[in-house]
Amino acid sequence: MPGPNVRRFLHQVARGWFPSRQSHARLTPKRIVVMLTLTFALPLIEAANWLGLALDSLLYPGWRRAPLDAPLFIIGNPRSGTTLLHRLLMRDTDTFDVMETWETLLAPSVTQRMLWRGLTRLDRAVGRPFGRLLDSIERRVQRGVPMHGVGIRQPEEDEGLLVHLWAGLMPWGFFPEPELPPAARFDEALPLAEQDRIMGFYRDCLLRHAHARTHGRHYLAKSPAFSGKVAALLRHIPDARFVVLVRSPLQQVPSEVSLRAFIWHRFASPRERYPLVEPILQKIDHWYRHPIEVLTTHPPEAWIELTYDELTADPAAAIRRIYRHFGLNLSPAYAETLTRLSRRAQRYQSQHSYSLEEIGLSREAIIARYADILATYGFDVGGPGVALDEDHAAALIRRQRARRANRARWRRLATRRHRGRRRDRASSRVQGKTP
């Protein structure tokens, strides 16, 4: 069983405590909290995770024989509709099964899942005190993450499983280094032995999940970061199927740059509102083109392309097309649910917009850089480069400033009250001494 890349983890943590002057991870008070969590809490969590993985071979040896029948991976650049499609497909619980965040990060082993399920039943038996606390925490977290619904019991990207190896792209969110990490170009930049070590671990995680709960359904994963891992993934899961989502670069680029800025402003301390734009663009370049280059060498029935415009214009029609392509059964119950969810998705309109110019890019530069993508999918180049999404970095900064202003206001109010009480006590003492 492969282990975590301890050397890389220790190297990044050491650099995190002693950042350079030009670093986007300066040791601000918020960053110190993040570093303390990474330095002390994360190793303890991972020790429990790896103990659980080791115990699986003793307590649940059947996981290696679990069936993994044609899992479906939703890939493509972030902010291209991957979350929307994933949330719609996962509602078909007769066909698909997903991995929830608590399973991804806190219970990759069968042993841990059985333990947590036992504790959950005990919690329900005494009135759900822990469950209510978790609900409250999730509501607070959701208010701070405007992109989409998040929660420990919600599914998220499978890239989170690779944190247990300290591999993949998630460490870049904690340590915003100026160079694009090799993990972004996984199939091309990493040695074959390292690819197989990482993807072998990922396959084993899916087998454990299938042993614990899939029960004959197809595993469904939203994995934008797997856009750079398609070839390696197919070596380890040959019957994998893919939905490749594509959005116009004029909209996708500003949306992802804002998303990345949000992540870095949350976990680091960037010097700029939109840091490291060029490495982000290099990643976007690769994830637009690499999946198609690999998948065109495989049978067409194993993958399908879908544009963001097709998905958002008529989600129900887009999903029916996916079901027909892969020969999946669309049950009447799910068809009714899909129609209702599709109407809701079509009614949604974001209240935020931002442009390429805000992040220091021109519309002409994006058209030149992605001319082949725009032409291949027939995206409109006449409109402005604007994405109707939340400006994540700006929203986070506004909330931080509002919280600081509120804290300062409460401190001033508390100081005035304290001084007033001292004056009242002093006045009372003076009056008491007066004959």
Side-chain angles (χ1 to χ4, degrees):
M1 180 170 62
N5 192 334
V6 177
R7 179 180 295 181
R8 182 187 179 207
F9 173 75
L10 293 176
H11 175 72
Q12 290 190 312
V13 167
R15 291 187 62 182
W17 282 114
F18 301 98
S20 66
R21 291 184 178 181
Q22 293 76 33
S23 173
H24 287 291
R26 296 161 294 150
L27 283 180
T28 61
K30 177 190 66 177
R31 177 64 177 175
I32 290 173
V33 172
V34 172
M35 287 302 302
L36 288 171
T37 303
L38 291 172
T39 305
F40 299 106
L42 182 61
L44 293 176
I45 294 171
E46 287 307 313
N49 286 335
W50 283 96
L51 176 61
L53 292 168
L55 288 173
D56 279 352
S57 296
L58 297 175
L59 302 178
Y60 303 97
W63 69 264
R64 296 181 185 277
R65 300 185 298 275
L68 190 60
D69 181 28
L72 180 62
F73 294 91
I74 301 171
I75 62 174
N77 273 301
R79 315 306 297 160
S80 296
T82 55
T83 298
L84 172 60
L85 181 59
H86 190 244
R87 297 283 166 93
L88 291 173
L89 288 174
M90 65 178 274
R91 296 296 292 268
D92 186 358
T93 55
D94 293 331
T95 302
F96 295 113
D97 183 42
V98 298
M99 197 179 301
E100 296 175 1
T101 301
W102 73 271
E103 296 171 308
T104 302
L105 299 179
L106 302 177
S109 69
V110 182
T111 302
Q112 290 170 291
R113 296 187 189 189
M114 297 307 173
L115 175 62
W116 280 110
R117 287 174 189 174
L119 292 175
T120 300
R121 285 193 290 268
L122 179 62
D123 181 60
R124 291 194 188 115
V126 296
R128 289 190 75 247
F130 180 75
R132 289 196 298 272
L133 175 63
L134 192 59
D135 292 340
S136 175
I137 293 172
E138 286 186 337
R139 285 194 294 270
R140 292 189 65 180
V141 170
Q142 177 56 54
R143 286 197 293 270
V145 183
M147 295 87 75
H148 54 254
V150 295
I152 200 71
R153 290 163 290 190
Q154 290 281 347
E156 260 306 326
E157 296 185 24
D158 278 15
E159 186 77 359
L161 288 168
L162 304 188
V163 170
H164 306 308
L165 296 175
W166 202 244
L169 268 186
M170 289 193 72
W172 199 32
F174 298 111
F175 300 99
E177 298 170 351
E179 300 294 329
L180 181 67
R185 303 174 64 90
F186 191 92
D187 287 334
E188 298 178 358
L190 293 184
L192 187 62
E194 179 69 359
Q195 294 180 31
D196 289 340
R197 185 182 78 89
I198 293 170
M199 298 313 294
F201 172 80
Y202 174 70
R203 179 202 58 218
D204 288 350
C205 287
L206 296 194
L207 290 174
R208 286 179 164 93
H209 180 79
H211 181 78
R213 58 175 278 180
T214 297
H215 307 307
R217 293 173 291 173
H218 299 285
Y219 181 70
L220 174 67
K222 180 194 76 166
S223 306
F226 282 13
S227 300
K229 305 178 178 70
V230 177
L233 185 60
L234 283 167
R235 284 201 308 274
H236 289 268
I237 308 176
D239 63 342
R241 297 183 291 190
F242 298 88
V243 179
V244 184
L245 279 162
V246 186
R247 187 180 187 183
S248 169
L250 291 170
Q251 299 168 353
Q252 190 277 331
V253 167
S255 187
E256 181 170 356
V257 169
S258 178
L259 170 62
R260 293 281 169 185
F262 169 83
I263 293 170
W264 286 323
H265 279 283
R266 172 69 70 179
F267 295 111
S269 48
R271 297 176 177 276
E272 307 162 11
R273 180 173 174 180
Y274 298 108
L276 305 181
V277 173
E278 181 55 33
I280 296 172
L281 291 177
Q282 293 171 10
K283 181 207 68 66
I284 292 173
D285 295 348
H286 189 64
W287 289 9
Y288 265 129
R289 301 175 177 95
H290 180 71
I292 304 305
E293 291 172 358
V294 174
L295 291 173
T296 49
T297 65
H298 287 74
E301 59 269 17
W303 61 285
I304 184 174
E305 289 180 278
L306 191 67
T307 68
Y308 177 85
D309 295 337
E310 290 175 295
L311 176 62
T312 55
D314 193 342
I319 289 178
R320 288 191 177 92
R321 181 184 161 205
I322 292 171
Y323 272 64
R324 286 194 302 270
H325 184 84
F326 292 124
L328 299 172
N329 178 49
L330 186 68
S331 68
Y334 177 60
E336 182 179 346
T337 300
L338 180 59
T339 301
R340 184 177 68 255
L341 294 174
S342 180
R343 292 197 195 103
R344 187 186 307 169
Q346 288 173 307
R347 286 197 301 269
Y348 173 77
Q349 286 187 346
S350 174
Q351 301 302 309
H352 304 271
S353 67
Y354 50 92
S355 66
L356 289 164
E357 287 71 20
E358 289 181 30
I359 61 177
L361 295 171
S362 70
R363 175 175 164 276
E364 292 73 19
I366 295 300
I367 291 175
R369 186 165 188 154
Y370 299 101
D372 57 328
I373 303 298
L374 293 163
T376 298
Y377 298 97
F379 291 129
D380 180 21
V381 298
V386 175
L388 294 174
D389 298 308
E390 170 67 273
D391 185 338
H392 310 306
L396 177 62
I397 292 169
R398 285 196 301 271
R399 285 193 296 273
Q400 289 174 337
R401 289 173 177 169
R403 283 196 295 267
R404 285 196 293 268
N406 286 334
R407 285 195 295 266
R409 187 162 52 248
W410 279 109
R411 282 196 296 269
R412 289 194 298 269
L413 181 60
T415 300
R416 285 198 297 268
R417 288 176 176 173
H418 178 67
R419 290 173 178 171
R421 286 194 293 267
R422 289 180 59 184
R423 283 195 299 268
D424 292 342
R425 286 195 297 268
S427 177
S428 298
R429 285 195 297 270
V430 171
Q431 291 176 0
K433 293 179 182 178
T434 303

